[in-house]
Amino acid sequence: SVAARRPWRLFGAMCLLRLPRITQPLEKEEEEMAALMEQIELEKSHYSDHEIRKLQEEEQLKRRKENLYDEDEARGKTVIMAQDLEEKWEQKFLQFKAAPRITDADKSNDRTSLNRKLDSNLMLLVKQKIGNQELWLLPQVEWQPGETLRSTAERAMATFLGDHIQAKVLGNAPYGIYKYKFPRAIRTEDNVGAKVFFFKAFLQSSDLSQAELKADYLWVTKKELGDYLKSEYLKKVNRFLLD
Amino acid sequence: PCRAQPKKKKKVDVKKEQAQKERMKKRIKKLEKAAPELIPIEDFITPLKYSESNRVRSLPALSPEESERRVLLLKKWCLFKQKQDEAEKKAIKALVESQQEALKELRLESEELYQAAIRRDEGLFPFERDGPSYTPPLPGYDPPEGKCVDITKVYTQ
């Protein structure tokens, strides 16, 4: 395709997502509905073996209390009651301590850590120099002839996170585009502006300690993007991000 | 004199054995002609011990306020789910629109890059991922040892 050289410069940017590790908290309606479903299930069910055993043992205890000398029942064998079993299970459960859902990074609001906000998607933002401004952007590099835009985006990821990053890029097609014209001072006939094509990828390696990040970076949720990105850029990015 | 007796035995035995074999073959043919027995689905057969009367739960009947509350809750749930579904559909539509716009701009730029972008990505599917759990994994957790013995009944036709 030897056409006239287009005046737009092409960039490939990568939106790297760390997927959620824990479930989101239930809404109020969801909790009420879950409680109702459980109640209905209980009402429609029959007694299980364990419950029948419990009822029978309760009756036995009652009869034993009423008539103190019941030769049939008291045969001198020590049986484990269903109630004791339940208490034992309860004790075991209380001894187990699960990992907390709100981590230390959440409490200290350390936005460079990946352990924050485990129930939502986290996106990578890096500080890049565009023209003479330092801006927070999704990692991007300029397209070079001979490579597809997807490889540009992957190169962008590798530039900022190192080669050993494992990410699943979702397809060959870009998800969004941000087009902007250069300020009049730099604009020429051949160099009107730039088009940034966004690609999406899911982060798969959970341990990034080996990655040497060469610039300032942040992992933020969709709601926090507004704190860092410019409004036009943010509008385009928000279109292809599902919360 | 010595030869005659063994010969007779052999003949009679051979004949008897052949007759037996034919009878067995006839029986096998009859069995094969009959339709194959259906494999019972264990989930659909309630074991008899669960239909005894002492198993029925005894709970107090529902008060009218309670049934009223339940009906209202179901209606609220219906609305909630409808809103959720609409929001999801809207988000997906915005996603698709954004992608279409990006591809249109790319086409304006270069046909070659556009063709490379709309090519199918073979390595994407099958895509596997473990879903989220209620709490994050506990570092250094030692799960209790145990063996799982599979006692499902296997039926052959």
Side-chain angles (χ1 to χ4, degrees):
Chain A
S1 45
V2 188
R5 241 192 107 243
R6 300 270 314 176
W8 298 94
R9 286 169 66 181
L10 299 180
F11 287 82
M14 180 63 89
C15 178
L16 191 59
L17 289 169
R18 186 227 61 187
L19 295 169
R21 292 215 195 113
I22 58 177
T23 51
Q24 288 182 336
L26 293 176
E27 308 267 334
K28 190 167 75 82
E29 287 96 341
E30 285 180 329
E31 283 199 15
E32 286 176 13
M33 198 61 190
L36 178 63
M37 287 287 120
E38 262 191 57
Q39 221 179 339
I40 292 181
E41 202 182 301
L42 188 73
E43 284 164 14
K44 287 193 175 171
S45 67
H46 286 182
Y47 286 129
S48 64
D49 289 340
H50 178 84
E51 284 186 314
I52 291 223
R53 182 178 157 180
K54 214 166 115 171
L55 288 171
Q56 281 174 348
E57 282 170 6
E58 274 174 23
E59 273 190 38
Q60 268 184 13
L61 266 185
K62 243 196 314 187
R63 269 186 279 155
R64 211 183 285 187
K65 277 185 193 166
E66 281 162 18
N67 6 0
L68 294 169
Y69 296 98
D70 206 343
E71 294 301 324
D72 285 338
E73 244 87 18
R75 263 173 224 165
K77 52 178 179 175
T78 47
V79 282
I80 306 177
M81 308 267 282
Q83 190 66 38
D84 299 334
L85 274 176
E86 278 190 12
E87 280 169 19
K88 203 168 79 167
W89 296 333
E90 187 74 34
Q91 287 297 316
K92 205 165 169 189
F93 178 60
L94 288 172
Q95 276 171 6
F96 173 71
K97 268 240 130 27
R101 278 163 66 93
I102 303 186
T103 59
D104 297 329
D106 267 326
K107 291 184 202 152
S108 60
N109 202 12
D110 175 20
R111 291 193 174 182
T112 56
S113 145
L114 262 184
N115 265 338
R116 201 172 72 94
K117 297 270 181 197
L118 291 173
D119 63 349
S120 33
N121 289 335
L122 283 184
M123 270 149 282
L124 180 66
L125 283 184
V126 282
K127 206 162 201 178
Q128 284 184 287
K129 199 164 166 134
I130 304 283
N132 50 0
Q133 277 182 320
E134 289 261 347
L135 295 171
W136 281 109
L137 299 170
L138 297 175
Q140 70 184 44
V141 287
E142 183 150 9
W143 172 76
Q144 279 161 7
E147 61 176 5
T148 60
L149 272 176
R150 177 184 165 159
S151 3
T152 320
E154 283 171 348
R155 195 161 53 90
M157 209 166 54
T159 329
F160 289 99
L161 290 177
D163 287 326
H164 301 285
I165 202 78
Q166 278 167 6
K168 186 103 185 183
V169 184
L170 301 177
N172 288 326
Y175 272 78
I177 176 168
Y178 176 59
K179 203 161 74 168
Y180 67 98
K181 290 193 177 160
F182 295 136
R184 282 191 192 275
I186 333 179
R187 215 184 293 181
T188 62
E189 266 297 315
D190 282 340
N191 223 356
V192 169
K195 286 189 184 178
V196 185
F197 290 95
F198 298 105
F199 286 79
K200 245 199 204 178
F202 289 153
L203 184 67
Q204 279 179 322
S205 48
S206 50
D207 173 33
L208 285 183
S209 50
Q210 283 191 342
E212 331 97 45
L213 281 97
K214 301 186 177 95
D216 285 341
Y217 67 99
L218 285 181
W219 291 96
V220 289
T221 59
K222 187 176 173 193
K223 295 195 190 100
E224 293 159 3
L225 278 179
D227 298 340
Y228 301 96
L229 299 179
K230 300 235 155 142
S231 63
E232 280 298 317
Y233 192 81
L234 178 69
K235 254 201 307 197
K236 294 287 179 173
V237 168
N238 267 341
R239 279 175 78 191
F240 67 81
L241 288 179
L242 296 172
D243 203 10
Chain B
C2 291
R3 259 192 234 166
Q5 283 172 328
K7 265 191 191 168
K8 272 191 206 163
K9 273 188 190 166
K10 274 187 200 167
K11 274 188 196 165
V12 166
D13 280 348
V14 162
K15 275 192 187 165
K16 268 190 186 169
E17 278 180 32
Q18 276 180 347
Q20 250 188 349
K21 275 184 196 169
E22 274 172 36
R23 264 180 267 150
M24 293 296 282
K25 276 184 196 168
K26 276 188 188 169
R27 271 186 218 152
I28 289 171
K29 271 187 197 169
K30 267 191 190 170
L31 284 174
E32 277 176 2
K33 271 189 197 168
E37 236 180 61
L38 297 168
I39 301 176
I41 304 175
E42 300 213 10
D43 285 338
F44 291 174
I45 309 168
T46 343
L48 286 171
K49 68 169 182 168
Y50 293 129
S51 12
E52 281 172 24
S53 58
N54 69 333
R55 291 248 176 189
V56 178
R57 230 173 255 275
S58 53
L59 292 165
L62 283 181
S63 63
E65 291 96 14
E66 179 63 22
S67 31
E68 186 75 22
R69 176 194 83 101
R70 284 188 185 185
V71 165
L72 288 172
L73 182 59
L74 286 170
K75 290 194 177 183
K76 259 203 308 187
W77 176 249
C78 182
L79 195 68
F80 172 78
K81 269 301 191 193
Q82 187 193 35
K83 295 247 162 72
Q84 203 185 49
D85 190 45
E86 273 173 26
E88 264 181 34
K89 290 201 166 113
K90 203 167 124 183
I92 293 177
K93 205 166 145 194
L95 205 80
V96 168
E97 268 174 17
S98 165
Q99 194 168 50
Q100 290 299 326
E101 192 191 314
L103 284 172
K104 205 172 71 173
E105 294 281 336
L106 185 57
R107 193 157 208 186
L108 288 176
E109 279 303 305
S110 119
E111 190 63 32
E112 192 189 316
L113 284 178
Y114 176 73
Q115 290 302 327
I118 57 174
R119 213 173 293 150
R120 189 180 284 197
D121 184 9
E122 300 297 333
L124 187 57
F125 294 114
F127 177 54
E128 281 182 11
R129 180 182 121 77
D130 289 330
S133 48
Y134 185 65
T135 50
L138 194 61
Y141 176 62
D142 194 21
E145 297 261 321
K147 211 168 76 160
C148 193
V149 181
D150 199 6
I151 52 168
T152 42
K153 292 189 192 159
V154 175
Y155 294 93
T156 46
Q157 273 198 326

